[in-house]
Amino acid sequence: AVFTGMSRMPAKIHPVILSGGSGTRLWPRSRTAFPKQFLRLVSENTLLQDTALRVAEAAAFAPPLVICNEEHRFIIAEQLREIDLEASHIVLEPAARNTAPAVAVAAEILAAKDPETIMLILAADHAIEDTAAFRSAIMTAADGARTGALVTFGIEPSRPETGYGYIRRGAKLSDSEGCFAVKSFVEKPDRETAEKYLSAGGYYWNSGMFMFTAKAFHEECERFEPEIRQAAAASIAKTTSDLGFLRLDPDAFGASPSKSIDYAVMEHTEKAAVVPADIGWNDVGSWASIWEIGSKDGQGNVLDGNVVA
C-alpha cells in the first residue's frame, strides 16, 4: 500500500509491538503457550502478522521492535519470517510486568540512538479493517508527538460498549491539526452511562495504542513512576544477546512495578492527547468479537473451515 502524505513525516516512526498476551480470552484455541496473536482469526495472516504488515511501509516506518514472553520468541521470529519482515529487536521479558515497563524498555533502547525517536505502541492482537485510515491517523498523531504530546488513539464508538474504557476529548491542540487534549480517562461504564457517552459525542474507546517520543515518555515516566524507569534502564544495562534475541536481566526487570501505561502515565500526565480514529478497530477480546468482524452466512453464522451447520 502507498503511504500518502509522506512529506509530513520526515523521520521514520518506530513501531513497538507488545506481544505479552496470556492466551485466556479465546480459549481453547488461544492458550498460554500459543495466545491469540499467533492465530489466524480474521484473515489469512495471524493477528501479529497483520499488525506488523500495517506498519511495514519502509519509507515511513523503521523495522518493528517486538517485546514478548521469552517462551514465544521462536514463534514470533518464524511468523515474521513468513511475511518477509525482520524486527529491529525481539526483546524477551523474563516476567510479566504489564505494558508500562515494556514501553519503558523500548524507550530506553530507542532513546540510546535518538531521544526524539517517535514510538508507535501497538498491541499484537488487535484487528483493524481500514489500514489507510489507520495510517492517516498515525500521520496526525505524529504531528502531535513531535510537539511533546503523549498521543493515544481514540476509537469512534459504534455502540454503547461497556467493555472498554473511554477517553473524553478536550480542546483542540493549537499546533497539531486533528489532535485534541484529553479531558479525562473514564473507566468502563455501565450501559446507561455508555449510552449517554454515545449521544453526547466527544467520547472515544480507549484503543491501547499510543504515540510519543522516547524523550517525552521518559520524562513523564520518571515523573510519575521513577521505579519503572529505573528498572527498565537497569534491565537494559544488563541485557544479554541470545541467538539474536535481547534477554532482559531478570532481577532488574522483576523489580519493576507491574502497571499498565494508562495507570502509570497516561491518566496522570498533562501532556495526554487523543486522535479520533474511525478505523474498524476491534480488540478481538471474545468469540463475540470474532463473530462481529467475520463474514456471515444467510443465517447470520460465521463459519471457518470444514463446517456443517
Side-chain angles (χ1 to χ4, degrees):
V2 176
F3 196 119
T4 58
M6 293 302 302
S7 62
R8 293 174 58 195
M9 305 189 68
K12 289 188 178 182
I13 292 167
H14 287 253
V16 175
I17 300 177
L18 306 181
S19 181
S22 57
T24 58
R25 293 203 289 176
L26 289 176
W27 187 88
R29 284 205 61 193
S30 176
R31 51 201 188 276
T32 302
F34 208 79
K36 65 173 178 169
Q37 61 263 38
F38 305 136
L39 299 175
R40 291 170 173 84
L41 294 171
V42 299
S43 78
E44 62 185 14
N45 298 316
T46 69
L47 293 174
L48 169 69
Q49 289 172 331
D50 278 340
T51 299
L53 286 169
R54 279 192 290 270
V55 289
E57 173 61 57
F61 300 103
L65 184 158
V66 183
I67 301 183
C68 66
N69 181 322
E70 63 179 85
E71 294 179 3
H72 300 151
R73 62 194 185 279
F74 295 118
I75 300 172
I76 285 175
E78 174 62 18
Q79 290 204 353
L80 292 179
R81 187 197 64 77
E82 287 177 359
I83 56 173
D84 296 322
L85 285 181
E86 185 173 351
S88 63
H89 304 84
I90 298 179
V91 183
L92 310 182
E93 290 181 309
R97 282 295 179 271
N98 217 314
T99 55
V103 173
V105 164
E108 290 290 334
I109 293 171
L110 295 175
K113 290 187 176 180
D114 181 5
E116 298 297 334
T117 295
I118 295 178
M119 304 169 59
L120 172 62
I121 312 301
L122 303 171
D125 56 359
H126 292 176
I128 293 174
E129 293 181 8
D130 193 337
T131 297
F134 177 54
R135 289 178 169 178
S136 179
I138 289 172
M139 291 194 336
T140 300
D143 287 344
R146 289 191 185 96
T147 70
L150 279 67
V151 185
T152 184
F153 295 84
I155 305 302
E156 299 273 3
S158 58
R159 61 184 183 276
E161 175 63 51
T162 60
Y164 300 143
Y166 283 69
I167 299 167
R168 187 181 181 190
R169 187 182 76 189
K172 195 175 198 177
L173 297 188
S174 59
D175 47 2
S176 301
E177 186 69 28
C179 273
F180 299 83
V182 171
K183 195 164 189 176
S184 62
F185 287 87
V186 185
E187 294 296 324
K188 297 176 182 178
D190 59 26
R191 176 79 182 189
E192 182 180 354
T193 304
E195 289 175 348
K196 289 179 180 178
Y197 292 165
L198 197 63
S199 61
Y203 287 85
Y204 306 95
W205 294 338
N206 188 350
S207 69
M209 300 183 294
F210 307 93
M211 181 177 276
F212 35 68
T213 65
K215 177 184 177 182
F217 181 79
H218 270 166
E219 290 175 349
E220 297 305 275
C221 189
E222 184 69 40
R223 180 181 176 190
F224 298 110
E225 291 288 345
E227 291 183 16
I228 291 178
R229 168 80 193 279
Q230 292 159 14
S235 65
I236 288 295
K238 298 178 182 179
T239 193
T240 57
S241 180
D242 176 14
L243 298 175
F245 303 102
L246 289 183
R247 190 180 294 275
L248 299 174
D249 181 76
D251 293 333
F253 189 74
S256 176
S258 179
K259 293 186 178 182
S260 72
I261 185 175
D262 296 274
Y263 286 120
V265 175
M266 295 302 296
E267 293 184 8
H268 304 289
T269 180
E270 296 175 355
K271 299 179 180 180
V274 60
V275 170
D278 187 4
I279 56 178
W281 173 89
N282 193 302
D283 73 344
V284 198
S286 66
W287 289 110
S289 297
I290 300 294
W291 177 84
E292 182 183 324
I293 59 181
S295 298
K296 285 87 171 168
D297 67 7
Q299 287 71 46
N301 299 313
V302 174
L303 308 178
D304 180 25
N306 187 15
V307 177
V308 176

